[in-house]
Amino acid sequence: MTVSLEQLRRCHVAVDLGAARTRVYVKGPGLVVDEPSVAAVNTRTGSLIAVGALAEQMTGRTPDYIRVARPVSGGTVVDIEMAQRMLRHLLGEKLRRQLRRKPWLRAAACTPHDSDPLARRASVETLVGLGARRVELVDTLIAAAVGCGLPVEQPTATMIMVCGAATTQIAVLSLGSIVTAVRLPVGGDAIDHAVIQHLRQHHELMLPSQSVRPLQLALHGNGLTTQGPSVTEIHGRDVATGLARSVEVDTAAIRQAIHRPLTAVLDGVGKVLRDCPPDLVADLADCGITMVGGSALLPGLDQMLRDATGVPVHIAERPDTCSILGLGAMMEGEISPLVLDPLAS
């Protein structure tokens, strides 16, 4: 674990700055913010127009003087000032006043596995700018494992896969630490991009940005499974003429387009299993892989992993909020470390 549980119990607020959504957990009230990591800015005056869900609805629909910004990319804060302004508005004046009353405000934040020092520093400076006097960084893999109820403190293997919007993180945990892990630059955004490119190349159709995620998630309930209609009608804009057009899309071809970026995820799972000690791999044959993150809800992805690895695959009960709930559980003192009595010499 990046920090000790004792240090985390002293924290008052936990923040999970993700590429897709920002979540804030306050000690006592619980999860108070769960909004998209998007902010709309007036470029003429520099004022903030909207944040969260309202700003996300503006994507692709704004005039020239309004810019829709995403201050977090790949789990890393790329615009510290914009991230601070977005967090202030998401928290609201009432909650900010409550936090300012803390004489020594401590905060905890999730950080992607194997993130570089600049990325960690950006996360710290973002929360320091909101009034935190001390910031504790926790690996996202450990926080997500705690949040979905895995026995991370026990001397048994637990394998977790965090499927985010920009990255996928896979790890084997034991005794509260990461044994082996890998982070891949493939996530829900890569799947969206694969669907967009397929429709552009084979059907000369451009999809609205708001229509990509519902299409790749389901195709009327399909996902990666073979059940459902064989063709689906898609509405978009013709690449050549720029006019609105509808086409009949073969769902099997869409599934094949989605499969291509997911092959890198399967390779990452294989690499983690190869680097893992044999005793821990034997444990995984019983407990299997636990999937968390928003992209874990892609229908058929769990079955695809089962077929490729031969081990059980489970989806967490609340996969999208596991990381922040895990941080909250550690702050509230709900997790007890494994206590070992020192051997007498």
Side-chain angles (χ1 to χ4, degrees):
M1 211 170 278
T2 313
V3 294
S4 67
L5 288 173
E6 187 60 36
Q7 290 173 314
L8 286 174
R9 289 193 189 101
R10 300 173 185 170
C11 294
H12 305 96
V13 60
V15 179
D16 181 13
L17 283 168
R21 300 186 73 86
T22 294
R23 299 176 176 93
V24 179
Y25 187 104
V26 177
K27 200 170 187 178
L31 186 63
V32 295
V33 173
D34 185 1
E35 293 282 341
S37 303
V38 189
V41 185
N42 188 326
T43 57
R44 295 174 181 172
T45 62
S47 60
L48 208 59
I49 298 174
V51 295
L54 180 58
E56 188 177 45
Q57 292 175 5
M58 296 182 180
T59 304
R61 296 184 169 93
T62 59
D64 293 339
Y65 65 91
I66 296 179
R67 179 175 65 94
V68 178
R70 293 182 177 270
V72 185
S73 176
T76 301
V77 179
V78 294
D79 189 340
I80 296 176
E81 182 183 356
M82 185 60 65
Q84 290 174 349
R85 296 175 68 185
M86 180 185 71
L87 271 175
R88 288 193 193 101
H89 283 77
L90 288 176
L91 287 172
E93 183 62 33
K94 181 179 179 181
L95 188 56
R96 292 208 310 272
R97 278 201 306 268
Q98 292 177 1
L99 293 177
R100 279 199 296 265
R101 294 188 188 125
K102 307 288 184 184
W104 187 270
L105 181 63
R106 290 173 176 255
C110 290
T111 179
H113 175 70
D114 202 20
S115 56
D116 56 83
L118 286 177
R120 293 195 291 269
R121 183 182 178 90
S123 299
V124 171
E125 289 187 2
T126 300
L127 297 182
V128 167
L130 293 177
R133 304 293 296 273
R134 183 183 175 92
V135 180
E136 310 289 356
L137 297 179
V138 180
D139 199 299
T140 303
L141 290 164
I142 295 178
V146 172
C148 61
L150 294 178
V152 292
E153 294 294 339
Q154 301 302 315
T156 57
T158 53
M159 188 170 185
I160 188 166
M161 185 167 78
V162 181
C163 308
T167 60
T168 298
Q169 304 173 65
I170 310 163
V172 174
L173 310 175
S174 180
L175 288 173
S177 300
I178 296 174
V179 178
T180 177
V182 66
R183 183 169 62 143
L184 308 169
V186 177
D189 293 343
I191 298 174
D192 294 348
H193 183 70
V195 174
I196 291 174
Q197 290 301 312
H198 173 82
L199 294 174
R200 188 184 182 98
Q201 293 172 5
H202 295 84
H203 299 278
E204 297 183 352
L205 192 75
M206 293 182 65
L207 273 185
S209 59
Q210 303 293 328
S211 302
V212 178
R213 184 52 60 91
L215 172 64
Q216 68 91 7
L217 266 183
L219 290 171
H220 297 301
N222 265 9
L224 300 179
T225 60
T226 56
Q227 290 82 18
S230 58
V231 294
T232 303
E233 187 178 10
I234 304 299
H235 308 281
R237 191 180 75 180
D238 191 278
V239 174
T241 64
L243 302 176
R245 184 163 64 92
S246 300
V247 297
E248 296 284 341
V249 177
D250 183 13
T251 55
I254 295 292
R255 285 198 300 271
Q256 187 61 34
I258 292 175
H259 269 285
R260 292 192 186 102
L262 293 178
T263 54
V265 177
L266 298 179
D267 293 341
V269 173
K271 182 181 184 303
V272 170
L273 291 175
R274 286 193 300 270
D275 295 343
C276 190
D279 291 341
L280 295 180
V281 174
D283 292 341
L284 295 176
D286 297 328
C287 61
I289 305 172
T290 303
M291 296 173 58
V292 301
S295 300
L297 297 173
L298 182 64
L301 179 56
D302 52 344
Q303 186 60 45
M304 182 180 173
L305 282 174
R306 287 190 198 97
D307 298 338
T309 61
V311 300
V313 178
H314 316 283
I315 300 178
E317 185 177 351
R318 299 178 63 185
D320 50 345
T321 58
C322 281
S323 298
I324 191 65
L325 292 180
L327 268 184
M330 289 186 278
M331 279 200 317
E332 302 279 5
E334 299 174 5
I335 307 300
S336 300
L338 182 67
V339 179
L340 299 176
D341 295 329
L343 298 176
S345 56

